[in-house]
Amino acid sequence: MLKFFVVTGLGLALLNGWIIWWLWRALEHTGWLRPTLCLVVAVLGVSFPLLYKLGGDSTVEVWLLRAGSFWLGMLFYVFMLVLIMDIWGLASRLWADPPVAPRWGAALLVMGLPLVIGCASWFNAANPIVRQYDLTISTNDPVPQAYAQSPLILGVLADMHLGRIITAPRLVRAMDLLAPYKPDAVLYVGDIIDDHILVDVEGMAAALARVQPRLGHWVVPGNHEYISGSIKDSLDILRRSGMQVLRDQWHILDNAFVLVGRDDVSRHAFEGTPRKSLPEILADIPHEHRSLPIFVMDHQPSMLDEARTAGAVLELSGHTHFGQLWPFHWVVESMYENPMGLLIKNGLHSVVSAGVGTWGPPMRNTSRAEVLIVKVHFTQTAQ
């Protein structure tokens, strides 16, 4: 993890440094504007990487963190434009002298276009939608009376990332989207909190109270429950908000299905011990419940084959954000068998949410922020 932060920090320093260097050259002869703009970029460039892990809860620190996170979302687009400008400038020297006047048009394009993209991406991220999936699940047991005429309705939330950047009102908005569907259970598939510094447990509890699922609120840890601080403290926050934690554990719900909650695969990196395998988790299910359909909550959709081999019929995941910002969705697509949406393969229904929140930049432009309604129709397998 330390290596990741070091490499990422060096990369961000390089990108921000190149942008500052370009602005210094492009805005020659502009007096105080040139050093001022370069200083603003430098401050924004260091705000997020420094304050994300080291910052406190003062108003100045929080708003610098938020401003730095917004700049982080613009950074790739600004850098690409700067790089294009430098390549164009290098090529133009072959047939003309370099300009000496300030390049106002280029500077406005380099900073203005990413700002427009950033604002549109922020609006897209701040206004989640409801995405619905209708699934048909076969069961060897008789279909429970409660689901003979109507489906099991699951509300699913992933990747809320509550903390100093995304706050409890976003969770209120998500729960208000779920409420009209009257879900039987609400399942939270990890990365619900992002830091412990300003997480509002009372606000989270009030948000959850807006939906009263008869089978409860269930949560599994994601990698950010580990990154944000002590996993014990993270799980305590989730429990105090009203969620029931499943950490390599199972629970029988409504005598209709087995809900399995897996610890996150990042556990090994933080605690030195791996999470349990799915067969290990399922080993102590009583014999009379072994024929029930198995629903798995696993934050990262990285072990679908293990779920298939164990006989699971549904796995709910998040984590990918579907890249969150262009063009990083191409990276996610290369990493995961199912980067977003529904994949049905060899009896397993894999549903991956793009998430209702964001990490880092409070923006997304590769997908909509979303909460899921998963309607499960049970059918009895023919004998």
Side-chain angles (χ1 to χ4, degrees):
M1 186 56 62
L2 177 61
K3 181 179 179 181
F4 170 80
F5 282 112
V6 170
V7 172
T8 302
L10 290 174
L12 292 176
L14 176 62
L15 298 185
N16 282 290
W18 194 304
I19 292 168
I20 292 169
W21 180 47
W22 185 88
L23 287 171
W24 191 264
R25 289 177 286 135
L27 297 178
E28 190 175 0
H29 308 304
T30 58
W32 58 267
L33 178 62
R34 178 167 73 162
T36 300
L37 187 56
C38 290
L39 179 61
V40 168
V41 171
V43 171
L44 292 176
V46 301
S47 292
F48 182 82
L50 284 181
L51 295 176
Y52 180 68
K53 292 298 289 183
L54 304 177
D57 59 358
S58 72
T59 302
V60 172
E61 289 173 299
V62 169
W63 282 102
L64 271 177
L65 176 68
R66 292 172 179 173
S69 70
F70 194 92
W71 170 252
L72 183 64
M74 294 174 51
L75 182 61
F76 175 79
Y77 306 113
V78 174
F79 175 74
M80 290 305 298
L81 289 172
V82 162
L83 191 60
I84 291 170
M85 295 291 181
D86 271 343
I87 292 172
W88 174 258
L90 184 63
S92 68
R93 290 187 181 186
L94 299 176
W95 61 79
D97 292 330
V100 294
R103 288 177 278 173
W104 291 109
L108 288 173
L109 176 65
V110 162
M111 303 303 290
L113 180 59
L115 180 60
V116 171
I117 293 172
C119 290
S121 301
W122 171 84
F123 183 84
N124 184 55
N127 293 278
I129 61 169
V130 177
R131 195 180 304 277
Q132 296 189 56
Y133 295 98
D134 277 86
L135 311 179
T136 300
I137 301 295
S138 297
T139 173
N140 294 325
D141 293 349
V143 176
Q145 187 63 35
Y147 309 118
Q149 302 298 324
S150 59
L152 167 71
I153 301 177
L154 303 174
V156 181
L157 274 73
D159 301 280
M160 179 64 68
H161 290 278
L162 293 171
R164 288 169 292 172
I165 297 175
I166 296 178
T167 55
R170 181 74 62 88
L171 181 57
V172 170
R173 197 174 310 161
M175 301 310 291
D176 285 347
L177 288 173
L178 291 180
Y181 296 89
K182 299 180 179 179
D184 297 295
V186 180
L187 309 180
Y188 305 81
V189 286
D191 283 7
I192 304 305
I193 58 178
D194 198 62
D195 64 52
H196 297 170
I197 296 174
L198 273 185
V199 65
D200 181 2
V201 181
E202 291 183 0
M204 292 172 62
L208 264 62
R210 300 170 84 92
V211 177
Q212 299 287 339
R214 62 187 183 85
L215 300 179
H217 298 265
W218 297 87
V219 66
V220 294
N223 56 307
H224 277 264
E225 270 71 44
Y226 284 94
I227 293 171
S228 62
S230 162
I231 184 64
K232 180 180 178 181
D233 291 341
S234 292
L235 298 182
D236 181 60
I237 289 169
L238 297 174
R239 289 189 181 101
R240 285 191 288 130
S241 74
M243 302 178 192
Q244 300 179 74
V245 175
L246 288 175
R247 190 184 184 200
D248 283 347
Q249 297 166 301
W250 55 266
H251 194 88
I252 306 295
L253 287 180
D254 237 10
N255 285 316
F257 62 98
V258 182
L259 182 64
V260 179
R262 304 202 66 182
D263 206 342
D264 189 65
V265 293
S266 64
R267 170 178 176 159
H268 189 271
F270 288 89
E271 296 199 332
T273 55
R275 67 177 184 175
K276 291 181 180 179
S277 68
L278 197 48
E280 287 178 304
I281 299 171
L282 298 173
D284 61 347
I285 292 179
H287 180 76
E288 63 269 23
H289 294 308
R290 287 187 177 273
S291 59
L292 292 177
I294 299 171
F295 295 1
V296 177
M297 299 166 64
D298 192 356
H299 176 61
Q300 302 189 39
S302 56
M303 303 190 73
L304 298 184
D305 281 338
E306 184 182 8
R308 293 186 185 106
T309 302
V313 295
L314 173 63
E315 177 167 304
L316 301 168
S317 303
H319 183 68
T320 71
H321 296 219
F322 198 56
Q324 193 167 312
L325 293 171
W326 183 92
F328 302 107
H329 63 298
W330 290 334
V331 177
V332 167
E333 287 177 321
S334 71
M335 292 175 61
Y336 297 100
E337 181 183 6
N338 181 17
M340 186 183 75
L342 172 63
L343 172 68
I344 304 175
K345 181 178 176 182
N346 296 338
L348 177 70
H349 300 71
S350 165
V351 177
V352 178
S353 172
V356 66
T358 53
W359 179 81
M363 319 166 179
R364 49 168 76 232
N365 55 36
T366 58
S367 63
R368 291 294 300 271
E370 61 183 21
V371 298
L372 305 185
I373 290 292
V374 179
K375 295 182 178 181
V376 179
H377 302 264
F378 291 100
T379 61
Q380 186 174 7
T381 305
Q383 300 297 319

